[in-house]
Structures are given as C-alpha cells and as structure tokens.
Amino acid sequence: MHSFAIAETGTSADAWACLQAASAVDDAVTALNSAGAALVGLTVDTEWQADGVRALHERLVAFQSAAGAEVGRLSSRAWELDRALS
C-alpha cells in the first residue's frame, strides 16, 4: 500500500512524518467505514412511517452520507501522502 523507499522529502524526519500521517489517515478511513457500515443497518431499521422515527431515519441517513464524504476526503489525503512517499 505504501512505498517505504526513502522519499524525496528532504529529511528522514519528513518521511517519518508522512508515514505517520498516512497511518493516521488509514486508521480514520477504517473507523469511518466501520461507522458507515453500522449506519446502513440503522437506516434500514428506521424506515418506518412514524414522525419521530422518520426524523431519526433522516438524521442517520445524513450521518451516513457525511461519513462517506469524509472517507472520500481522507482517501484523497492518503493518496497525496502515498505520492509524497513514492
């Protein structure tokens, strides 16, 4: 997934910082994917027609969408970090 060759970042400290950042981004993507998977089940379970449950369902759908958007943004950052390490 990541290239561990010495990157042209100037110093090994810069390369180490990029590796740590890439690891943190990967951990965040994993956590968001897990949360998104849990939200899928909740959104299905709350597709009822009561007002309170409908409002809950709408909020859960919004959270699921926001988690997906964050995964996209973090995946982009991971790609940038991976390029910096190459």
Side-chain angles (χ1 to χ4, degrees), residues 65-84:
S65 178
E70 285 302 318
V71 166
R73 283 190 280 276
L74 287 172
S75 294
S76 179
R77 297 298 82 79
W79 179 80
E80 290 171 0
L81 287 165
D82 204 30
R83 284 193 56 212

Side-chain angles (χ1 to χ4, degrees), residues 46-71:
T46 59
E47 281 193 274
W48 301 333
Q49 295 304 311
D51 288 338
V53 176
R54 187 177 305 113
L56 172 63
H57 175 76
E58 289 170 2
R59 294 287 292 177
L60 290 170
V61 168
F63 287 141
Q64 184 179 1
S65 178
E70 285 302 318
V71 166

